[in-house]
Amino acid sequence: MSHEAHGRPPTLGQRWSAFRQTPFWPATVLVLILAAAAGFFAGSYTYSMADPTPRLIPTAVVGSYEEAGGRAFLHGLEQALDTSVKVHPYETRAAAREAIEQQEVFAVFELRDDGRSAVLDVSGASGASVAELLARTAPAVGKKLGVDVAVRDVNPLQEGDPRGLAIFYISLAAVIIGFVGAIQLSVHARTLTPFERILFTVSYALLGGFVIAATVDWLLGALDLPFVESWLILALTMFVSGMVFSMFNTLFGRWAMLPTWGLMVIIGNPSSGGAVSWPLLPSPLGEIGRWLPPGASVNAQHTAVYFQGHQHAFPFLVLGGWALLSCTIFWFWRHRHPGGREKNPAADDPDAQDQVGKAR
């Protein structure tokens, strides 16, 4: 018998318990979560990209950098940038240029005539924002100190990608479509077994990576990609992103989107170095981003496109590590993953099969 029948109104606790049983409860929770996610999304991208400030710029120097004029110029550059220009001395210009190709430094200062003149070699492909900052600041510092500074871009960006953002965009597409694909498999193909789900994740990753690369290169002509390498990097990125969602879906069920979005979009994409070069990112993000799938994808793709023949193992180890971690957790806790289907007992039971045959 209800409380109303006895004339007693329900208590606050009883009202709350009743509210928790209605569809308004999860809807209210989602409203609050979406509002918080919107704030975190806007905040993370604004914090990372709105006002990029140099923290540490690795720079090669050759020539008269130990002379008084050279030291004064480098010190003046640090003051103008309000940062530390981490100097790496090299014996020859060729060795310094090789350091650019290995992505160990962002520019080369060759100081001549006891530091009275300088040649600045920037690498737009290493980081457009860093190259632009150095190309603008170095001549201004030189003018104040009486140092004649000539600037040239020894490794420019491709013509169809003048701001160096295309790699960030294609990596972002692979990340987002990767976990959206896993979400759609969970919704529209819930009866897939764990092994089948992994196979279909591989399938849409390979096909999706191919379509992204073909669209950007063959259709739009924005980037001249090393096609097979870029395709496989995009496919690996999509697979990792999809399996990260599947891992979180196994661990957190219907709330899996929250950690996936937080890891891959709120933290991963702003810290990837794709839109803003890592020396201009807040220092914690610059370090964290290298270890997350979006940053590893951008690094691998960036090297494949602009530094061919100098690919590094690290970003592939990061992507492979996330793939192994997510697949392992998904596989060993697959009984907790929503969906799947029960095996047909009649298919493995001879007696059951005989009974079916007799019935026929």
Side-chain angles (χ1 to χ4, degrees), residues 242-275:
M243 290 310 303
V244 163
F245 174 82
S246 297
M247 171 183 70
F248 285 134
N249 203 18
T250 300
L251 297 175
F252 303 111
R254 62 180 178 177
W255 300 110
M257 185 60 182
L258 294 179
T260 304
W261 185 262
L263 180 72
M264 306 297 281
V265 178
I266 300 295
I267 300 175
N269 283 325
S271 65
S272 68

PDB file of all heavy atoms in Angstrom, residues 242-275:
ATOM      1  N   GLY A 242      39.918   2.542 -32.245  1.00  0.00           N
ATOM      2  CA  GLY A 242      38.755   1.669 -32.093  1.00  0.00           C
ATOM      3  C   GLY A 242      38.906   0.703 -30.939  1.00  0.00           C
ATOM      4  O   GLY A 242      37.966   0.480 -30.163  1.00  0.00           O
ATOM      5  N   MET A 243      40.101   0.123 -30.791  1.00  0.00           N
ATOM      6  CA  MET A 243      40.307  -0.840 -29.717  1.00  0.00           C
ATOM      7  C   MET A 243      40.393  -0.159 -28.353  1.00  0.00           C
ATOM      8  O   MET A 243      40.053  -0.773 -27.333  1.00  0.00           O
ATOM      9  CB  MET A 243      41.564  -1.662 -29.985  1.00  0.00           C
ATOM     10  CG  MET A 243      41.429  -2.633 -31.149  1.00  0.00           C
ATOM     11  SD  MET A 243      39.939  -3.675 -31.070  1.00  0.00           S
ATOM     12  CE  MET A 243      40.135  -4.477 -29.481  1.00  0.00           C
ATOM     13  N   VAL A 244      40.845   1.089 -28.311  1.00  0.00           N
ATOM     14  CA  VAL A 244      40.833   1.823 -27.040  1.00  0.00           C
ATOM     15  C   VAL A 244      39.394   1.974 -26.557  1.00  0.00           C
ATOM     16  O   VAL A 244      39.106   1.782 -25.362  1.00  0.00           O
ATOM     17  CB  VAL A 244      41.522   3.192 -27.196  1.00  0.00           C
ATOM     18  CG1 VAL A 244      41.167   4.121 -26.038  1.00  0.00           C
ATOM     19  CG2 VAL A 244      43.035   3.022 -27.262  1.00  0.00           C
ATOM     20  N   PHE A 245      38.477   2.311 -27.473  1.00  0.00           N
ATOM     21  CA  PHE A 245      37.069   2.383 -27.051  1.00  0.00           C
ATOM     22  C   PHE A 245      36.574   1.015 -26.605  1.00  0.00           C
ATOM     23  O   PHE A 245      35.868   0.906 -25.590  1.00  0.00           O
ATOM     24  CB  PHE A 245      36.179   2.901 -28.178  1.00  0.00           C
ATOM     25  CG  PHE A 245      34.717   2.840 -27.824  1.00  0.00           C
ATOM     26  CD1 PHE A 245      34.135   3.837 -27.048  1.00  0.00           C
ATOM     27  CD2 PHE A 245      33.929   1.763 -28.216  1.00  0.00           C
ATOM     28  CE1 PHE A 245      32.794   3.756 -26.681  1.00  0.00           C
ATOM     29  CE2 PHE A 245      32.591   1.681 -27.849  1.00  0.00           C
ATOM     30  CZ  PHE A 245      32.021   2.685 -27.082  1.00  0.00           C
ATOM     31  N   SER A 246      36.913  -0.043 -27.357  1.00  0.00           N
ATOM     32  CA  SER A 246      36.463  -1.385 -26.981  1.00  0.00           C
ATOM     33  C   SER A 246      37.004  -1.768 -25.608  1.00  0.00           C
ATOM     34  O   SER A 246      36.303  -2.426 -24.821  1.00  0.00           O
ATOM     35  CB  SER A 246      36.909  -2.408 -28.034  1.00  0.00           C
ATOM     36  OG  SER A 246      36.312  -2.139 -29.286  1.00  0.00           O
ATOM     37  N   MET A 247      38.235  -1.382 -25.318  1.00  0.00           N
ATOM     38  CA  MET A 247      38.811  -1.645 -23.998  1.00  0.00           C
ATOM     39  C   MET A 247      38.000  -0.933 -22.911  1.00  0.00           C
ATOM     40  O   MET A 247      37.621  -1.547 -21.899  1.00  0.00           O
ATOM     41  CB  MET A 247      40.262  -1.177 -23.967  1.00  0.00           C
ATOM     42  CG  MET A 247      40.912  -1.201 -22.590  1.00  0.00           C
ATOM     43  SD  MET A 247      42.604  -0.563 -22.589  1.00  0.00           S
ATOM     44  CE  MET A 247      42.315   1.197 -22.888  1.00  0.00           C
ATOM     45  N   PHE A 248      37.742   0.356 -23.117  1.00  0.00           N
ATOM     46  CA  PHE A 248      36.983   1.106 -22.111  1.00  0.00           C
ATOM     47  C   PHE A 248      35.542   0.612 -22.021  1.00  0.00           C
ATOM     48  O   PHE A 248      34.927   0.655 -20.946  1.00  0.00           O
ATOM     49  CB  PHE A 248      37.020   2.594 -22.428  1.00  0.00           C
ATOM     50  CG  PHE A 248      38.332   3.251 -22.108  1.00  0.00           C
ATOM     51  CD1 PHE A 248      38.933   4.120 -23.010  1.00  0.00           C
ATOM     52  CD2 PHE A 248      38.965   3.008 -20.905  1.00  0.00           C
ATOM     53  CE1 PHE A 248      40.144   4.725 -22.719  1.00  0.00           C
ATOM     54  CE2 PHE A 248      40.184   3.606 -20.594  1.00  0.00           C
ATOM     55  CZ  PHE A 248      40.775   4.466 -21.503  1.00  0.00           C
ATOM     56  N   ASN A 249      34.995   0.138 -23.142  1.00  0.00           N
ATOM     57  CA  ASN A 249      33.642  -0.413 -23.115  1.00  0.00           C
ATOM     58  C   ASN A 249      33.594  -1.677 -22.272  1.00  0.00           C
ATOM     59  O   ASN A 249      32.605  -1.961 -21.589  1.00  0.00           O
ATOM     60  CB  ASN A 249      33.178  -0.707 -24.542  1.00  0.00           C
ATOM     61  CG  ASN A 249      31.671  -0.736 -24.668  1.00  0.00           C
ATOM     62  OD1 ASN A 249      30.947  -0.241 -23.817  1.00  0.00           O
ATOM     63  ND2 ASN A 249      31.195  -1.321 -25.752  1.00  0.00           N
ATOM     64  N   THR A 250      34.676  -2.442 -22.314  1.00  0.00           N
ATOM     65  CA  THR A 250      34.777  -3.630 -21.477  1.00  0.00           C
ATOM     66  C   THR A 250      34.878  -3.263 -20.004  1.00  0.00           C
ATOM     67  O   THR A 250      34.284  -3.917 -19.141  1.00  0.00           O
ATOM     68  CB  THR A 250      36.019  -4.447 -21.888  1.00  0.00           C
ATOM     69  OG1 THR A 250      35.896  -4.844 -23.253  1.00  0.00           O
ATOM     70  CG2 THR A 250      36.184  -5.677 -21.025  1.00  0.00           C
ATOM     71  N   LEU A 251      35.617  -2.189 -19.713  1.00  0.00           N
ATOM     72  CA  LEU A 251      35.856  -1.804 -18.324  1.00  0.00           C
ATOM     73  C   LEU A 251      34.715  -0.988 -17.724  1.00  0.00           C
ATOM     74  O   LEU A 251      34.401  -1.130 -16.536  1.00  0.00           O
ATOM     75  CB  LEU A 251      37.159  -1.010 -18.220  1.00  0.00           C
ATOM     76  CG  LEU A 251      38.442  -1.759 -18.601  1.00  0.00           C
ATOM     77  CD1 LEU A 251      39.627  -0.810 -18.577  1.00  0.00           C
ATOM     78  CD2 LEU A 251      38.678  -2.935 -17.672  1.00  0.00           C
ATOM     79  N   PHE A 252      34.111  -0.111 -18.542  1.00  0.00           N
ATOM     80  CA  PHE A 252      33.148   0.855 -17.996  1.00  0.00           C
ATOM     81  C   PHE A 252      31.757   0.764 -18.621  1.00  0.00           C
ATOM     82  O   PHE A 252      30.888   1.572 -18.284  1.00  0.00           O
ATOM     83  CB  PHE A 252      33.678   2.284 -18.174  1.00  0.00           C
ATOM     84  CG  PHE A 252      35.017   2.502 -17.539  1.00  0.00           C
ATOM     85  CD1 PHE A 252      36.138   2.716 -18.331  1.00  0.00           C
ATOM     86  CD2 PHE A 252      35.171   2.475 -16.169  1.00  0.00           C
ATOM     87  CE1 PHE A 252      37.384   2.907 -17.755  1.00  0.00           C
ATOM     88  CE2 PHE A 252      36.410   2.675 -15.583  1.00  0.00           C
ATOM     89  CZ  PHE A 252      37.525   2.882 -16.377  1.00  0.00           C
ATOM     90  N   GLY A 253      31.563  -0.154 -19.544  1.00  0.00           N
ATOM     91  CA  GLY A 253      30.237  -0.328 -20.121  1.00  0.00           C
ATOM     92  C   GLY A 253      29.766   0.894 -20.889  1.00  0.00           C
ATOM     93  O   GLY A 253      30.492   1.460 -21.696  1.00  0.00           O
ATOM     94  N   ARG A 254      28.528   1.324 -20.612  1.00  0.00           N
ATOM     95  CA  ARG A 254      27.917   2.391 -21.405  1.00  0.00           C
ATOM     96  C   ARG A 254      28.586   3.742 -21.216  1.00  0.00           C
ATOM     97  O   ARG A 254      28.337   4.672 -21.996  1.00  0.00           O
ATOM     98  CB  ARG A 254      26.436   2.515 -21.048  1.00  0.00           C
ATOM     99  CG  ARG A 254      26.165   2.894 -19.604  1.00  0.00           C
ATOM    100  CD  ARG A 254      24.683   2.984 -19.334  1.00  0.00           C
ATOM    101  NE  ARG A 254      24.390   3.300 -17.933  1.00  0.00           N
ATOM    102  CZ  ARG A 254      23.162   3.482 -17.477  1.00  0.00           C
ATOM    103  NH1 ARG A 254      22.133   3.368 -18.299  1.00  0.00           N
ATOM    104  NH2 ARG A 254      22.967   3.752 -16.200  1.00  0.00           N
ATOM    105  N   TRP A 255      29.458   3.869 -20.196  1.00  0.00           N
ATOM    106  CA  TRP A 255      30.154   5.139 -19.975  1.00  0.00           C
ATOM    107  C   TRP A 255      31.528   5.164 -20.646  1.00  0.00           C
ATOM    108  O   TRP A 255      32.338   6.049 -20.371  1.00  0.00           O
ATOM    109  CB  TRP A 255      30.307   5.399 -18.472  1.00  0.00           C
ATOM    110  CG  TRP A 255      28.993   5.467 -17.759  1.00  0.00           C
ATOM    111  CD1 TRP A 255      28.485   4.565 -16.884  1.00  0.00           C
ATOM    112  CD2 TRP A 255      28.007   6.496 -17.883  1.00  0.00           C
ATOM    113  NE1 TRP A 255      27.248   4.952 -16.443  1.00  0.00           N
ATOM    114  CE2 TRP A 255      26.930   6.146 -17.043  1.00  0.00           C
ATOM    115  CE3 TRP A 255      27.929   7.681 -18.618  1.00  0.00           C
ATOM    116  CZ2 TRP A 255      25.795   6.936 -16.920  1.00  0.00           C
ATOM    117  CZ3 TRP A 255      26.786   8.465 -18.496  1.00  0.00           C
ATOM    118  CH2 TRP A 255      25.739   8.093 -17.660  1.00  0.00           C
ATOM    119  N   ALA A 256      31.794   4.222 -21.546  1.00  0.00           N
ATOM    120  CA  ALA A 256      33.116   4.114 -22.164  1.00  0.00           C
ATOM    121  C   ALA A 256      33.495   5.344 -22.971  1.00  0.00           C
ATOM    122  O   ALA A 256      34.672   5.645 -23.150  1.00  0.00           O
ATOM    123  CB  ALA A 256      33.164   2.885 -23.063  1.00  0.00           C
ATOM    124  N   MET A 257      32.505   6.079 -23.464  1.00  0.00           N
ATOM    125  CA  MET A 257      32.801   7.257 -24.274  1.00  0.00           C
ATOM    126  C   MET A 257      33.549   8.314 -23.471  1.00  0.00           C
ATOM    127  O   MET A 257      34.359   9.065 -24.032  1.00  0.00           O
ATOM    128  CB  MET A 257      31.487   7.846 -24.819  1.00  0.00           C
ATOM    129  CG  MET A 257      31.676   9.012 -25.766  1.00  0.00           C
ATOM    130  SD  MET A 257      32.639   8.553 -27.214  1.00  0.00           S
ATOM    131  CE  MET A 257      32.715  10.125 -28.053  1.00  0.00           C
ATOM    132  N   LEU A 258      33.303   8.382 -22.169  1.00  0.00           N
ATOM    133  CA  LEU A 258      33.940   9.423 -21.354  1.00  0.00           C
ATOM    134  C   LEU A 258      35.461   9.270 -21.317  1.00  0.00           C
ATOM    135  O   LEU A 258      36.181  10.215 -21.659  1.00  0.00           O
ATOM    136  CB  LEU A 258      33.360   9.416 -19.948  1.00  0.00           C
ATOM    137  CG  LEU A 258      31.882   9.804 -19.827  1.00  0.00           C
ATOM    138  CD1 LEU A 258      31.448   9.721 -18.371  1.00  0.00           C
ATOM    139  CD2 LEU A 258      31.655  11.202 -20.366  1.00  0.00           C
ATOM    140  N   PRO A 259      36.018   8.122 -20.902  1.00  0.00           N
ATOM    141  CA  PRO A 259      37.481   8.019 -20.909  1.00  0.00           C
ATOM    142  C   PRO A 259      38.072   8.033 -22.314  1.00  0.00           C
ATOM    143  O   PRO A 259      39.187   8.534 -22.510  1.00  0.00           O
ATOM    144  CB  PRO A 259      37.746   6.682 -20.203  1.00  0.00           C
ATOM    145  CG  PRO A 259      36.479   5.915 -20.320  1.00  0.00           C
ATOM    146  CD  PRO A 259      35.387   6.927 -20.315  1.00  0.00           C
ATOM    147  N   THR A 260      37.321   7.504 -23.298  1.00  0.00           N
ATOM    148  CA  THR A 260      37.834   7.524 -24.672  1.00  0.00           C
ATOM    149  C   THR A 260      37.963   8.955 -25.167  1.00  0.00           C
ATOM    150  O   THR A 260      39.008   9.348 -25.716  1.00  0.00           O
ATOM    151  CB  THR A 260      36.893   6.742 -25.614  1.00  0.00           C
ATOM    152  OG1 THR A 260      36.723   5.415 -25.123  1.00  0.00           O
ATOM    153  CG2 THR A 260      37.463   6.689 -27.022  1.00  0.00           C
ATOM    154  N   TRP A 261      36.923   9.744 -24.990  1.00  0.00           N
ATOM    155  CA  TRP A 261      36.934  11.139 -25.419  1.00  0.00           C
ATOM    156  C   TRP A 261      38.003  11.933 -24.670  1.00  0.00           C
ATOM    157  O   TRP A 261      38.733  12.734 -25.247  1.00  0.00           O
ATOM    158  CB  TRP A 261      35.555  11.749 -25.191  1.00  0.00           C
ATOM    159  CG  TRP A 261      35.390  13.151 -25.700  1.00  0.00           C
ATOM    160  CD1 TRP A 261      35.484  14.308 -24.974  1.00  0.00           C
ATOM    161  CD2 TRP A 261      35.094  13.551 -27.039  1.00  0.00           C
ATOM    162  NE1 TRP A 261      35.272  15.396 -25.784  1.00  0.00           N
ATOM    163  CE2 TRP A 261      35.028  14.962 -27.051  1.00  0.00           C
ATOM    164  CE3 TRP A 261      34.885  12.857 -28.227  1.00  0.00           C
ATOM    165  CZ2 TRP A 261      34.766  15.686 -28.203  1.00  0.00           C
ATOM    166  CZ3 TRP A 261      34.616  13.581 -29.380  1.00  0.00           C
ATOM    167  CH2 TRP A 261      34.552  14.981 -29.361  1.00  0.00           C
ATOM    168  N   GLY A 262      38.115  11.670 -23.375  1.00  0.00           N
ATOM    169  CA  GLY A 262      39.113  12.383 -22.589  1.00  0.00           C
ATOM    170  C   GLY A 262      40.531  12.080 -23.024  1.00  0.00           C
ATOM    171  O   GLY A 262      41.361  12.986 -23.188  1.00  0.00           O
ATOM    172  N   LEU A 263      40.824  10.796 -23.228  1.00  0.00           N
ATOM    173  CA  LEU A 263      42.185  10.391 -23.599  1.00  0.00           C
ATOM    174  C   LEU A 263      42.546  10.814 -25.013  1.00  0.00           C
ATOM    175  O   LEU A 263      43.634  11.365 -25.248  1.00  0.00           O
ATOM    176  CB  LEU A 263      42.320   8.874 -23.461  1.00  0.00           C
ATOM    177  CG  LEU A 263      43.686   8.293 -23.806  1.00  0.00           C
ATOM    178  CD1 LEU A 263      44.706   8.647 -22.732  1.00  0.00           C
ATOM    179  CD2 LEU A 263      43.597   6.773 -23.967  1.00  0.00           C
ATOM    180  N   MET A 264      41.650  10.557 -25.955  1.00  0.00           N
ATOM    181  CA  MET A 264      41.986  10.736 -27.370  1.00  0.00           C
ATOM    182  C   MET A 264      41.753  12.161 -27.867  1.00  0.00           C
ATOM    183  O   MET A 264      42.500  12.641 -28.734  1.00  0.00           O
ATOM    184  CB  MET A 264      41.160   9.759 -28.223  1.00  0.00           C
ATOM    185  CG  MET A 264      41.286   8.313 -27.792  1.00  0.00           C
ATOM    186  SD  MET A 264      42.954   7.652 -27.946  1.00  0.00           S
ATOM    187  CE  MET A 264      43.002   7.318 -29.708  1.00  0.00           C
ATOM    188  N   VAL A 265      40.738  12.849 -27.354  1.00  0.00           N
ATOM    189  CA  VAL A 265      40.361  14.153 -27.904  1.00  0.00           C
ATOM    190  C   VAL A 265      40.730  15.298 -26.957  1.00  0.00           C
ATOM    191  O   VAL A 265      41.343  16.282 -27.375  1.00  0.00           O
ATOM    192  CB  VAL A 265      38.846  14.190 -28.224  1.00  0.00           C
ATOM    193  CG1 VAL A 265      38.443  15.559 -28.742  1.00  0.00           C
ATOM    194  CG2 VAL A 265      38.515  13.112 -29.250  1.00  0.00           C
ATOM    195  N   ILE A 266      40.360  15.186 -25.683  1.00  0.00           N
ATOM    196  CA  ILE A 266      40.612  16.283 -24.749  1.00  0.00           C
ATOM    197  C   ILE A 266      42.105  16.446 -24.476  1.00  0.00           C
ATOM    198  O   ILE A 266      42.626  17.563 -24.439  1.00  0.00           O
ATOM    199  CB  ILE A 266      39.859  16.055 -23.423  1.00  0.00           C
ATOM    200  CG1 ILE A 266      38.346  15.964 -23.669  1.00  0.00           C
ATOM    201  CG2 ILE A 266      40.170  17.168 -22.432  1.00  0.00           C
ATOM    202  CD1 ILE A 266      37.728  17.231 -24.188  1.00  0.00           C
ATOM    203  N   ILE A 267      42.814  15.320 -24.301  1.00  0.00           N
ATOM    204  CA  ILE A 267      44.254  15.381 -24.013  1.00  0.00           C
ATOM    205  C   ILE A 267      45.085  15.067 -25.253  1.00  0.00           C
ATOM    206  O   ILE A 267      46.030  15.783 -25.583  1.00  0.00           O
ATOM    207  CB  ILE A 267      44.614  14.402 -22.879  1.00  0.00           C
ATOM    208  CG1 ILE A 267      43.841  14.747 -21.602  1.00  0.00           C
ATOM    209  CG2 ILE A 267      46.118  14.430 -22.609  1.00  0.00           C
ATOM    210  CD1 ILE A 267      44.049  13.751 -20.475  1.00  0.00           C
ATOM    211  N   GLY A 268      44.745  13.996 -25.944  1.00  0.00           N
ATOM    212  CA  GLY A 268      45.599  13.491 -27.012  1.00  0.00           C
ATOM    213  C   GLY A 268      45.783  14.413 -28.197  1.00  0.00           C
ATOM    214  O   GLY A 268      46.918  14.675 -28.627  1.00  0.00           O
ATOM    215  N   ASN A 269      44.693  14.924 -28.755  1.00  0.00           N
ATOM    216  CA  ASN A 269      44.818  15.754 -29.961  1.00  0.00           C
ATOM    217  C   ASN A 269      45.491  17.101 -29.712  1.00  0.00           C
ATOM    218  O   ASN A 269      46.375  17.493 -30.472  1.00  0.00           O
ATOM    219  CB  ASN A 269      43.435  15.947 -30.608  1.00  0.00           C
ATOM    220  CG  ASN A 269      42.999  14.726 -31.377  1.00  0.00           C
ATOM    221  OD1 ASN A 269      43.796  14.034 -31.989  1.00  0.00           O
ATOM    222  ND2 ASN A 269      41.712  14.436 -31.348  1.00  0.00           N
ATOM    223  N   PRO A 270      45.144  17.863 -28.660  1.00  0.00           N
ATOM    224  CA  PRO A 270      45.845  19.133 -28.446  1.00  0.00           C
ATOM    225  C   PRO A 270      47.334  18.963 -28.159  1.00  0.00           C
ATOM    226  O   PRO A 270      48.128  19.846 -28.469  1.00  0.00           O
ATOM    227  CB  PRO A 270      45.125  19.739 -27.239  1.00  0.00           C
ATOM    228  CG  PRO A 270      43.810  19.059 -27.183  1.00  0.00           C
ATOM    229  CD  PRO A 270      44.036  17.685 -27.712  1.00  0.00           C
ATOM    230  N   SER A 271      47.721  17.830 -27.569  1.00  0.00           N
ATOM    231  CA  SER A 271      49.124  17.612 -27.212  1.00  0.00           C
ATOM    232  C   SER A 271      49.903  16.857 -28.277  1.00  0.00           C
ATOM    233  O   SER A 271      51.061  16.506 -28.065  1.00  0.00           O
ATOM    234  CB  SER A 271      49.204  16.838 -25.889  1.00  0.00           C
ATOM    235  OG  SER A 271      48.672  15.532 -26.023  1.00  0.00           O
ATOM    236  N   SER A 272      49.277  16.611 -29.436  1.00  0.00           N
ATOM    237  CA  SER A 272      49.915  15.787 -30.459  1.00  0.00           C
ATOM    238  C   SER A 272      51.046  16.494 -31.192  1.00  0.00           C
ATOM    239  O   SER A 272      51.870  15.846 -31.839  1.00  0.00           O
ATOM    240  CB  SER A 272      48.862  15.322 -31.478  1.00  0.00           C
ATOM    241  OG  SER A 272      48.372  16.431 -32.227  1.00  0.00           O
ATOM    242  N   GLY A 273      51.085  17.833 -31.134  1.00  0.00           N
ATOM    243  CA  GLY A 273      52.083  18.574 -31.886  1.00  0.00           C
ATOM    244  C   GLY A 273      51.709  18.798 -33.335  1.00  0.00           C
ATOM    245  O   GLY A 273      52.507  19.344 -34.105  1.00  0.00           O
ATOM    246  N   GLY A 274      50.497  18.420 -33.717  1.00  0.00           N
ATOM    247  CA  GLY A 274      50.087  18.573 -35.111  1.00  0.00           C
ATOM    248  C   GLY A 274      49.681  19.990 -35.461  1.00  0.00           C
ATOM    249  O   GLY A 274      50.035  20.496 -36.522  1.00  0.00           O
ATOM    250  N   ALA A 275      48.927  20.644 -34.569  1.00  0.00           N
ATOM    251  CA  ALA A 275      48.484  22.013 -34.833  1.00  0.00           C
ATOM    252  C   ALA A 275      49.484  23.039 -34.320  1.00  0.00           C
ATOM    253  O   ALA A 275      49.689  24.086 -34.928  1.00  0.00           O
ATOM    254  CB  ALA A 275      47.113  22.248 -34.199  1.00  0.00           C
TER     255      ALA A 275
END
